[in-house]
Amino acid sequence: MPIVSLTNVSKTYPSRSHGEPEVVAVDDVTLDIDQGDVYGIIGYSGAGKSTLVRLINALEPATSGTITVDGVDLTTLGERELRRVRGGIGMIFQQFNLFSSRTVRSNVAYPLTLAGWSKPDIEARVTELLSFVGLSDKAKAYPEQLSGGQKQRVGIARALATKPAILLADEATSALDPQTTHEVLDLLKRVNEEQGVTIVVITHEMDVIQTIATKVAVMENGRVIERGDVFDVFSAP
Ligand code: ADP
Ligand code: ADP
């Protein structure tokens, strides 16, 4: 059974001002992501990738179609159940989205505090996470004292804190240089292989997909125009 399944999913935004047409950001997308996949979604800016992520993460409802996460149809859920689905999905971002006024340790602890974990459990989990991402010595540092790659490793630790089954990476390496990009992608590969987390990688960079993903969907104008094993999709005919 796929862990994420989209069937004929569309998302239309109303026109921003009178007289302008509505925007079809996601247009009739059907897509299955299997448990354990590293699934790439690639496309140019405006292709609909971020909208797709917000739909999977239940941050916005689809206009039509069906989205299931772990076999549960999101359209049938109320707000409290949707929050639980979101709790099972970690996210990392291009600009890292760390709290600048909090230490590394406090950033990673944040989702655990929200989830109501006890202090000792939080301590133990954060220590384990910082060790996993190789930042044990930066626990008391503030984000501004870190390099871009270190900030994203904090982002990954925070995203994994509550042990989600799925990690959504939205342009997570787009602000990083090539060397740092590869370090972060290596870490994501370990997250997938050692922890069994399903990873969805959204990017406009083919190199990122070829480095880490096994399957890919190519988006254009809201549609999936091609998909399959990375090797088949990107090798010359
Ligand atoms: P196409 O290149 O037209 O997608 P495929 O042989 O890859 O051709 O797929 C045929 C049909 O099977 C597609 O139209 C799609 O509906 C479905 N399909 C293929 N791959 C997937 C997938 N990963 N998730 C869900 N449906 C898929
Ligand atoms: P990508 O992530 O591939 O750059 P997006 O999903 O951000 O693409 O955008 C897809 C299309 O939807 C674009 O035309 C964008 O302008 C439009 N769009 C995205 N979010 C909104 C919104 N909240 N309101 C109106 N239009 C939007």
Side-chain angles (χ1 to χ4, degrees):
M1 190 182 64
I3 190 162
V4 176
S5 184
L6 292 85
T7 308
N8 303 116
V9 170
S10 294
K11 177 68 182 182
T12 304
Y13 292 109
S15 53
R16 287 199 172 97
S17 58
H18 191 69
E20 273 185 40
E22 53 183 22
V23 179
V24 184
V26 169
D27 188 2
D28 196 24
V29 167
T30 294
L31 192 71
D32 283 348
I33 299 174
D34 287 328
Q35 163 80 47
D37 274 352
V38 178
Y39 204 110
I41 296 175
I42 190 168
Y44 296 117
S45 176
K49 306 183 297 296
S50 297
T51 303
L52 199 67
V53 166
R54 289 197 299 275
L55 295 175
I56 293 172
N57 204 9
L59 292 171
E60 294 187 18
T63 309
S64 60
T66 308
I67 303 172
T68 66
V69 175
D70 239 340
V72 180
D73 181 352
L74 298 186
T75 55
T76 65
L77 302 183
E79 193 48 41
R80 192 199 305 165
E81 296 154 311
L82 285 175
R83 268 204 299 277
R84 195 166 41 206
V85 171
R86 283 181 209 123
I89 302 178
M91 278 205 77
I92 55 173
F93 309 90
Q94 178 169 5
Q95 295 306 329
F96 320 119
N97 296 17
L98 303 178
F99 296 110
S100 54
S101 63
R102 289 169 177 259
T103 62
V104 164
R105 172 169 278 279
S106 167
N107 266 282
V108 177
Y110 183 74
L112 300 172
T113 309
L114 278 190
W117 285 40
S118 74
K119 257 195 151 158
D121 286 351
I122 293 176
E123 286 293 303
R125 180 68 179 145
V126 172
T127 300
E128 176 182 50
L129 287 159
L130 290 180
S131 164
F132 178 73
V133 302
L135 288 176
S136 300
D137 57 332
K138 297 289 183 191
K140 291 184 174 137
Y142 286 86
E144 65 179 12
Q145 298 170 292
L146 304 179
S147 69
Q150 288 171 333
K151 283 182 204 168
Q152 194 57 291
R153 284 193 271 152
V154 176
I156 291 168
R158 182 180 60 181
L160 295 176
T162 57
K163 307 186 179 179
I166 303 167
L167 178 64
L168 298 178
D170 190 359
E171 299 284 359
T173 56
S174 299
L176 305 175
D177 62 60
Q179 167 69 27
T180 311
T181 291
H182 277 268
E183 286 168 19
V184 168
L185 293 179
D186 281 344
L187 178 57
L188 290 177
K189 213 173 251 175
R190 281 179 52 214
V191 169
N192 174 253
E193 287 169 0
E194 295 174 21
Q195 307 191 9
V197 176
T198 303
I199 301 184
V200 184
V201 177
I202 287 83
T203 183
H204 65 280
E205 295 170 309
M206 187 135 100
D207 181 47
V208 167
I209 300 288
Q210 287 179 314
T211 302
I212 189 170
T214 49
K215 291 179 201 146
V216 64
V218 183
M219 285 192 79
E220 202 175 288
N221 294 325
R223 294 182 149 262
V224 171
I225 58 164
E226 204 171 345
R227 70 159 115 244
D229 292 339
V230 169
F231 183 81
D232 296 330
V233 170
F234 289 139
S235 63

